[in-house]
Amino acid sequence: MGKSIINLNGITVSYNEIGKGSPIVLLHGFCGSNGYWDNVITKLSEHYRVIALDLPGHGESANLEGPVTIEDIADHIKDVLDYLNVPQVTMFGHSLGGYITLAFAEKFSQLVNGLSLIHSTAYPDSEEAKKGREAGVEKVKKEGISVFIDGLIPKLFSPDNIEKNQNDITTAKEIGYTTSSQGVMKTLIAMKNRPDRNSVLEKAEIPVLLIAGEKDQIIPSDKTFSVSKSNIKPVLIKDSGHMSMYENPTELINKMIEFMSTVK
Protein backbone atom coordinates (compact mmCIF):
# COMPACT_ATOMS: atom_id res chain seq x y z
CA MET A 1 0.00 0.00 0.00
CA GLY A 2 1.09 3.56 -0.53
CA LYS A 3 2.72 5.02 -3.63
CA SER A 4 3.54 2.44 -6.29
CA ILE A 5 4.82 2.33 -9.85
CA ILE A 6 4.02 -0.60 -12.13
CA ASN A 7 4.72 -1.47 -15.76
CA LEU A 8 1.51 -2.34 -17.56
CA ASN A 9 1.57 -3.29 -21.23
CA GLY A 10 4.92 -1.52 -21.50
CA ILE A 11 3.58 1.70 -19.94
CA THR A 12 4.68 3.06 -16.55
CA VAL A 13 1.69 3.68 -14.25
CA SER A 14 1.97 5.51 -10.93
CA TYR A 15 -0.70 5.39 -8.23
CA ASN A 16 -1.30 5.80 -4.51
CA GLU A 17 -3.30 3.06 -2.78
CA ILE A 18 -4.32 3.16 0.87
CA GLY A 19 -7.02 1.65 3.09
CA LYS A 20 -9.33 -1.39 3.00
CA GLY A 21 -12.96 -1.90 2.10
CA SER A 22 -15.07 -1.00 -0.91
CA PRO A 23 -12.81 0.35 -3.68
CA ILE A 24 -12.82 4.05 -4.59
CA VAL A 25 -10.87 5.37 -7.58
CA LEU A 26 -9.87 9.04 -7.64
CA LEU A 27 -9.02 10.61 -11.01
CA HIS A 28 -7.33 14.02 -10.90
CA GLY A 29 -7.75 16.97 -13.23
CA PHE A 30 -5.68 18.27 -16.15
CA CYS A 31 -2.01 18.88 -15.24
CA GLY A 32 -2.58 17.32 -11.83
CA SER A 33 -1.46 14.05 -10.24
CA ASN A 34 -2.56 11.73 -7.45
CA GLY A 35 -1.05 14.39 -5.17
CA TYR A 36 -4.16 16.51 -5.77
CA TRP A 37 -5.96 14.14 -3.38
CA ASP A 38 -3.45 14.29 -0.50
CA ASN A 39 -5.85 16.35 1.64
CA VAL A 40 -8.72 13.86 1.28
CA ILE A 41 -7.21 10.42 0.79
CA THR A 42 -6.24 9.73 4.43
CA LYS A 43 -9.75 10.37 5.76
CA LEU A 44 -11.38 8.34 2.98
CA SER A 45 -8.97 5.47 3.61
CA GLU A 46 -10.32 5.05 7.14
CA HIS A 47 -13.41 3.48 5.54
CA TYR A 48 -12.47 2.47 1.98
CA ARG A 49 -9.77 1.09 -0.27
CA VAL A 50 -8.73 4.26 -2.07
CA ILE A 51 -6.76 4.20 -5.34
CA ALA A 52 -5.58 7.57 -6.68
CA LEU A 53 -4.03 7.25 -10.14
CA ASP A 54 -1.62 9.43 -12.08
CA LEU A 55 -3.31 9.76 -15.47
CA PRO A 56 -1.19 9.09 -18.60
CA GLY A 57 1.46 11.76 -19.17
CA HIS A 58 0.79 13.21 -15.71
CA GLY A 59 2.77 12.85 -12.48
CA GLU A 60 4.97 9.78 -12.77
CA SER A 61 2.81 7.94 -15.32
CA ALA A 62 4.04 7.61 -18.90
CA ASN A 63 2.12 8.73 -21.96
CA LEU A 64 -0.01 6.35 -23.96
CA GLU A 65 1.35 5.83 -27.47
CA GLY A 66 0.05 7.80 -30.44
CA PRO A 67 -2.91 10.20 -30.49
CA VAL A 68 -5.08 9.77 -27.40
CA THR A 69 -8.83 9.98 -26.80
CA ILE A 70 -10.73 10.14 -23.52
CA GLU A 71 -11.98 6.63 -24.37
CA ASP A 72 -8.37 5.38 -24.69
CA ILE A 73 -7.67 6.65 -21.17
CA ALA A 74 -10.81 4.89 -19.89
CA ASP A 75 -9.58 1.63 -21.47
CA HIS A 76 -6.19 2.16 -19.82
CA ILE A 77 -7.83 2.62 -16.41
CA LYS A 78 -9.76 -0.60 -16.95
CA ASP A 79 -6.42 -2.38 -17.51
CA VAL A 80 -5.02 -0.85 -14.30
CA LEU A 81 -8.07 -1.91 -12.28
CA ASP A 82 -7.84 -5.44 -13.71
CA TYR A 83 -4.19 -5.55 -12.63
CA LEU A 84 -5.16 -4.36 -9.13
CA ASN A 85 -7.98 -6.94 -9.00
CA VAL A 86 -10.74 -4.35 -8.58
CA PRO A 87 -13.97 -5.98 -9.84
CA GLN A 88 -16.27 -3.06 -9.07
CA VAL A 89 -15.59 0.55 -8.18
CA THR A 90 -16.99 3.91 -7.17
CA MET A 91 -15.24 6.50 -9.33
CA PHE A 92 -14.67 10.16 -8.49
CA GLY A 93 -13.36 12.33 -11.31
CA HIS A 94 -12.10 15.88 -10.93
CA SER A 95 -12.45 18.01 -14.09
CA LEU A 96 -10.58 15.98 -16.77
CA GLY A 97 -11.01 13.01 -14.43
CA GLY A 98 -14.77 13.52 -14.68
CA TYR A 99 -14.67 13.27 -18.47
CA ILE A 100 -12.82 9.98 -18.10
CA THR A 101 -15.22 8.77 -15.40
CA LEU A 102 -18.17 9.29 -17.76
CA ALA A 103 -16.38 7.47 -20.60
CA PHE A 104 -15.49 4.62 -18.23
CA ALA A 105 -19.09 4.36 -16.96
CA GLU A 106 -20.36 4.33 -20.56
CA LYS A 107 -17.98 1.55 -21.65
CA PHE A 108 -17.86 -0.53 -18.46
CA SER A 109 -21.16 0.19 -16.74
CA GLN A 110 -21.18 -3.23 -15.02
CA LEU A 111 -17.98 -2.29 -13.16
CA VAL A 112 -19.27 0.99 -11.69
CA ASN A 113 -21.53 1.05 -8.61
CA GLY A 114 -21.42 4.85 -8.20
CA LEU A 115 -19.83 7.83 -9.89
CA SER A 116 -19.06 11.44 -9.11
CA LEU A 117 -18.12 14.44 -11.20
CA ILE A 118 -16.15 16.98 -9.17
CA HIS A 119 -15.91 20.38 -10.90
CA SER A 120 -16.57 18.62 -14.20
CA THR A 121 -19.29 18.38 -16.84
CA ALA A 122 -20.97 15.95 -19.21
CA TYR A 123 -21.11 18.65 -21.89
CA PRO A 124 -18.57 18.72 -24.73
CA ASP A 125 -16.30 21.70 -25.39
CA SER A 126 -17.87 24.77 -26.96
CA GLU A 127 -16.32 26.01 -30.19
CA GLU A 128 -14.59 28.73 -28.18
CA ALA A 129 -13.21 26.17 -25.72
CA LYS A 130 -11.94 24.02 -28.61
CA LYS A 131 -9.99 26.99 -29.93
CA GLY A 132 -8.62 27.49 -26.43
CA ARG A 133 -7.36 23.87 -26.37
CA GLU A 134 -5.59 24.42 -29.71
CA ALA A 135 -4.06 27.65 -28.40
CA GLY A 136 -2.86 25.71 -25.35
CA VAL A 137 -1.05 23.21 -27.57
CA GLU A 138 0.69 26.06 -29.40
CA LYS A 139 1.62 27.73 -26.11
CA VAL A 140 3.29 24.56 -24.82
CA LYS A 141 5.14 24.13 -28.12
CA LYS A 142 6.43 27.71 -28.12
CA GLU A 143 6.88 28.57 -24.45
CA GLY A 144 7.19 25.25 -22.62
CA ILE A 145 5.38 23.58 -19.78
CA SER A 146 6.36 25.96 -16.95
CA VAL A 147 4.89 29.06 -18.60
CA PHE A 148 1.72 27.11 -19.45
CA ILE A 149 1.31 25.89 -15.84
CA ASP A 150 2.01 29.34 -14.36
CA GLY A 151 -0.84 30.72 -16.46
CA LEU A 152 -3.24 27.84 -15.77
CA ILE A 153 -3.11 27.10 -12.04
CA PRO A 154 -4.14 30.44 -10.45
CA LYS A 155 -7.33 30.46 -12.61
CA LEU A 156 -8.38 27.18 -11.02
CA PHE A 157 -8.82 28.81 -7.62
CA SER A 158 -11.57 31.25 -6.66
CA PRO A 159 -10.30 34.85 -6.96
CA ASP A 160 -11.33 35.27 -3.31
CA ASN A 161 -8.97 32.45 -2.27
CA ILE A 162 -5.80 33.43 -4.14
CA GLU A 163 -4.17 35.03 -1.11
CA LYS A 164 -5.09 32.45 1.53
CA ASN A 165 -4.35 29.52 -0.80
CA GLN A 166 -0.89 30.70 -1.94
CA ASN A 167 0.81 27.58 -0.55
CA ASP A 168 -1.73 25.34 -2.30
CA ILE A 169 -1.28 27.24 -5.57
CA THR A 170 2.48 26.68 -5.29
CA THR A 171 1.89 22.97 -4.59
CA ALA A 172 -0.47 22.66 -7.57
CA LYS A 173 2.07 24.41 -9.81
CA GLU A 174 4.82 22.04 -8.68
CA ILE A 175 2.56 19.10 -9.49
CA GLY A 176 1.77 20.68 -12.85
CA TYR A 177 5.45 21.03 -13.76
CA THR A 178 5.75 17.21 -13.58
CA THR A 179 3.29 16.84 -16.48
CA SER A 180 5.10 15.98 -19.69
CA SER A 181 4.75 18.38 -22.63
CA GLN A 182 3.42 15.51 -24.73
CA GLY A 183 0.98 14.64 -21.94
CA VAL A 184 -0.37 18.18 -21.92
CA MET A 185 -0.73 18.38 -25.69
CA LYS A 186 -2.27 14.92 -26.11
CA THR A 187 -4.73 15.56 -23.28
CA LEU A 188 -5.74 18.98 -24.64
CA ILE A 189 -6.70 17.34 -27.96
CA ALA A 190 -8.48 14.47 -26.17
CA MET A 191 -10.57 16.97 -24.18
CA LYS A 192 -11.28 19.04 -27.30
CA ASN A 193 -12.62 15.99 -29.16
CA ARG A 194 -14.72 14.46 -26.39
CA PRO A 195 -18.46 14.01 -27.12
CA ASP A 196 -21.51 15.07 -25.14
CA ARG A 197 -22.05 12.45 -22.42
CA ASN A 198 -25.21 13.76 -20.75
CA SER A 199 -26.85 10.53 -21.95
CA VAL A 200 -24.62 8.62 -19.49
CA LEU A 201 -26.13 10.61 -16.62
CA GLU A 202 -29.64 10.31 -18.05
CA LYS A 203 -29.39 6.51 -18.32
CA ALA A 204 -27.52 5.96 -15.03
CA GLU A 205 -29.39 3.98 -12.40
CA ILE A 206 -26.52 3.97 -9.91
CA PRO A 207 -25.95 6.76 -7.36
CA VAL A 208 -24.41 9.86 -8.94
CA LEU A 209 -22.82 12.81 -7.09
CA LEU A 210 -22.32 16.10 -8.95
CA ILE A 211 -20.08 18.58 -7.13
CA ALA A 212 -19.65 22.19 -8.27
CA GLY A 213 -17.72 25.09 -6.80
CA GLU A 214 -19.72 28.22 -6.04
CA LYS A 215 -16.95 30.38 -7.54
CA ASP A 216 -15.61 28.03 -10.20
CA GLN A 217 -14.30 30.11 -13.13
CA ILE A 218 -13.63 27.03 -15.30
CA ILE A 219 -16.87 25.02 -15.12
CA PRO A 220 -19.90 26.89 -13.72
CA SER A 221 -22.43 24.94 -11.66
CA ASP A 222 -25.11 24.89 -14.38
CA LYS A 223 -22.69 22.95 -16.60
CA THR A 224 -22.11 20.42 -13.80
CA PHE A 225 -25.77 20.11 -12.79
CA SER A 226 -26.87 19.19 -16.31
CA VAL A 227 -29.26 16.32 -15.48
CA SER A 228 -31.82 16.11 -12.66
CA LYS A 229 -32.96 12.66 -11.45
CA SER A 230 -33.76 11.06 -8.11
CA ASN A 231 -30.45 9.12 -8.08
CA ILE A 232 -28.38 12.21 -8.90
CA LYS A 233 -27.32 14.43 -6.00
CA PRO A 234 -26.15 17.97 -6.82
CA VAL A 235 -23.85 19.65 -4.28
CA LEU A 236 -22.61 23.24 -4.40
CA ILE A 237 -19.47 23.82 -2.33
CA LYS A 238 -19.38 27.35 -0.98
CA ASP A 239 -16.26 29.51 -1.13
CA SER A 240 -14.64 27.20 -3.65
CA GLY A 241 -13.42 27.56 -7.19
CA HIS A 242 -12.34 24.59 -9.32
CA MET A 243 -10.14 23.09 -6.58
CA SER A 244 -12.26 22.18 -3.56
CA MET A 245 -9.71 19.52 -2.56
CA TYR A 246 -7.51 22.49 -1.63
CA GLU A 247 -10.03 25.28 -1.08
CA ASN A 248 -12.56 23.43 1.08
CA PRO A 249 -11.31 19.85 1.63
CA THR A 250 -13.38 19.21 4.78
CA GLU A 251 -16.63 19.90 2.95
CA LEU A 252 -15.52 17.80 -0.03
CA ILE A 253 -14.59 14.86 2.20
CA ASN A 254 -17.91 15.06 4.07
CA LYS A 255 -19.89 15.03 0.81
CA MET A 256 -17.86 12.12 -0.58
CA ILE A 257 -18.34 10.01 2.56
CA GLU A 258 -22.04 10.92 2.72
CA PHE A 259 -22.38 9.83 -0.92
CA MET A 260 -20.58 6.54 -0.29
CA SER A 261 -23.26 5.59 2.24
CA THR A 262 -25.73 5.47 -0.69
CA VAL A 263 -23.56 3.20 -2.84
CA LYS A 264 -24.35 -0.51 -2.71
Short mmCIF file of all heavy atoms in Angstrom, two decimals, residues 6 14 16 41 59 84 97 114 126 130-131 143 161 163 178 181 190 202 219 229:
data_model
loop_
_atom_site.label_atom_id
_atom_site.label_comp_id
_atom_site.label_asym_id
_atom_site.label_seq_id
_atom_site.Cartn_x
_atom_site.Cartn_y
_atom_site.Cartn_z
N ILE A 6 4.04 0.71 -11.46
CA ILE A 6 4.02 -0.60 -12.13
C ILE A 6 4.25 -0.40 -13.62
O ILE A 6 4.14 0.72 -14.14
CB ILE A 6 2.67 -1.32 -11.91
CG1 ILE A 6 1.49 -0.46 -12.41
CG2 ILE A 6 2.48 -1.70 -10.45
CD1 ILE A 6 0.15 -1.17 -12.44
N SER A 14 1.74 5.14 -12.32
CA SER A 14 1.97 5.51 -10.93
C SER A 14 0.63 5.70 -10.22
O SER A 14 -0.31 6.25 -10.80
CB SER A 14 2.78 6.81 -10.87
OG SER A 14 2.83 7.30 -9.55
N ASN A 16 -1.37 5.84 -5.97
CA ASN A 16 -1.30 5.80 -4.51
C ASN A 16 -2.48 4.98 -4.03
O ASN A 16 -3.63 5.30 -4.37
CB ASN A 16 -1.37 7.23 -3.95
CG ASN A 16 -1.10 7.28 -2.45
OD1 ASN A 16 -0.67 6.30 -1.85
ND2 ASN A 16 -1.38 8.42 -1.84
N ILE A 41 -7.37 11.86 0.91
CA ILE A 41 -7.21 10.42 0.79
C ILE A 41 -7.09 9.72 2.15
O ILE A 41 -7.62 8.62 2.35
CB ILE A 41 -6.02 10.08 -0.13
CG1 ILE A 41 -6.07 8.63 -0.58
CG2 ILE A 41 -4.70 10.42 0.51
CD1 ILE A 41 -5.09 8.30 -1.70
N GLY A 59 2.05 13.39 -13.65
CA GLY A 59 2.77 12.85 -12.48
C GLY A 59 3.91 11.95 -12.93
O GLY A 59 4.74 12.34 -13.75
N LEU A 84 -5.03 -4.52 -10.59
CA LEU A 84 -5.16 -4.36 -9.13
C LEU A 84 -6.29 -5.23 -8.55
O LEU A 84 -6.57 -5.15 -7.36
CB LEU A 84 -5.42 -2.89 -8.79
CG LEU A 84 -4.27 -1.93 -9.10
CD1 LEU A 84 -4.70 -0.49 -8.86
CD2 LEU A 84 -3.04 -2.26 -8.26
N GLY A 97 -10.68 14.32 -15.00
CA GLY A 97 -11.01 13.01 -14.43
C GLY A 97 -12.49 12.68 -14.53
O GLY A 97 -12.88 11.52 -14.65
N GLY A 114 -21.11 3.45 -8.52
CA GLY A 114 -21.42 4.85 -8.20
C GLY A 114 -20.39 5.73 -8.89
O GLY A 114 -19.26 5.29 -9.13
N SER A 126 -17.30 23.81 -26.01
CA SER A 126 -17.87 24.77 -26.96
C SER A 126 -16.83 25.04 -28.05
O SER A 126 -15.66 24.68 -27.93
CB SER A 126 -18.20 26.08 -26.24
OG SER A 126 -17.01 26.68 -25.77
N LYS A 130 -12.78 24.82 -27.70
CA LYS A 130 -11.94 24.02 -28.61
C LYS A 130 -10.77 24.85 -29.13
O LYS A 130 -9.63 24.37 -29.22
CB LYS A 130 -12.77 23.48 -29.77
CG LYS A 130 -13.72 22.35 -29.37
CD LYS A 130 -14.54 21.85 -30.54
CE LYS A 130 -15.46 20.73 -30.08
NZ LYS A 130 -16.28 20.18 -31.17
N LYS A 131 -11.06 26.10 -29.47
CA LYS A 131 -9.99 26.99 -29.93
C LYS A 131 -8.98 27.23 -28.81
O LYS A 131 -7.77 27.33 -29.05
CB LYS A 131 -10.58 28.32 -30.41
CG LYS A 131 -11.30 28.20 -31.74
CD LYS A 131 -11.99 29.49 -32.12
CE LYS A 131 -12.79 29.30 -33.41
NZ LYS A 131 -13.68 30.45 -33.68
N GLU A 143 6.39 27.98 -25.70
CA GLU A 143 6.88 28.57 -24.45
C GLU A 143 7.25 27.55 -23.38
O GLU A 143 7.86 27.89 -22.37
CB GLU A 143 5.83 29.55 -23.90
CG GLU A 143 5.52 30.70 -24.86
CD GLU A 143 4.45 31.63 -24.33
OE1 GLU A 143 4.36 31.80 -23.10
OE2 GLU A 143 3.70 32.19 -25.15
N ASN A 161 -9.84 33.35 -3.04
CA ASN A 161 -8.97 32.45 -2.27
C ASN A 161 -7.50 32.54 -2.66
O ASN A 161 -6.67 31.82 -2.09
CB ASN A 161 -9.44 31.00 -2.44
CG ASN A 161 -10.81 30.76 -1.83
OD1 ASN A 161 -11.24 31.52 -0.95
ND2 ASN A 161 -11.51 29.75 -2.29
N GLU A 163 -5.12 34.66 -2.16
CA GLU A 163 -4.17 35.03 -1.11
C GLU A 163 -4.03 33.92 -0.07
O GLU A 163 -2.92 33.50 0.25
CB GLU A 163 -4.64 36.33 -0.43
CG GLU A 163 -3.49 37.09 0.20
CD GLU A 163 -3.89 38.51 0.58
OE1 GLU A 163 -4.44 39.24 -0.27
OE2 GLU A 163 -3.66 38.86 1.75
N THR A 178 5.36 18.61 -13.34
CA THR A 178 5.75 17.21 -13.58
C THR A 178 5.02 16.63 -14.80
O THR A 178 5.37 15.53 -15.24
CB THR A 178 5.47 16.31 -12.35
OG1 THR A 178 4.06 16.21 -12.15
CG2 THR A 178 6.11 16.87 -11.10
N SER A 181 5.28 17.53 -21.56
CA SER A 181 4.75 18.38 -22.63
C SER A 181 3.83 17.58 -23.55
O SER A 181 2.76 18.04 -23.95
CB SER A 181 5.89 19.00 -23.44
OG SER A 181 6.64 19.87 -22.63
N ALA A 190 -7.48 15.45 -26.62
CA ALA A 190 -8.48 14.47 -26.17
C ALA A 190 -9.70 15.19 -25.59
O ALA A 190 -10.85 14.81 -25.86
CB ALA A 190 -7.86 13.53 -25.14
N GLU A 202 -28.19 10.54 -17.87
CA GLU A 202 -29.64 10.31 -18.05
C GLU A 202 -30.00 8.84 -17.90
O GLU A 202 -31.05 8.49 -17.35
CB GLU A 202 -30.08 10.83 -19.43
CG GLU A 202 -30.10 12.35 -19.52
CD GLU A 202 -30.06 12.86 -20.96
OE1 GLU A 202 -30.04 12.03 -21.90
OE2 GLU A 202 -30.03 14.09 -21.14
N ILE A 219 -15.62 25.73 -14.81
CA ILE A 219 -16.87 25.02 -15.12
C ILE A 219 -17.94 25.51 -14.15
O ILE A 219 -17.96 25.10 -12.98
CB ILE A 219 -16.70 23.49 -15.02
CG1 ILE A 219 -15.67 23.02 -16.05
CG2 ILE A 219 -18.04 22.78 -15.24
CD1 ILE A 219 -15.35 21.54 -16.01
N LYS A 229 -32.26 13.94 -11.65
CA LYS A 229 -32.96 12.66 -11.45
C LYS A 229 -32.87 12.32 -9.97
O LYS A 229 -32.03 12.85 -9.25
CB LYS A 229 -32.28 11.54 -12.26
CG LYS A 229 -32.55 11.57 -13.76
CD LYS A 229 -31.72 10.52 -14.47
CE LYS A 229 -32.08 9.10 -14.04
NZ LYS A 229 -31.15 8.10 -14.60
#
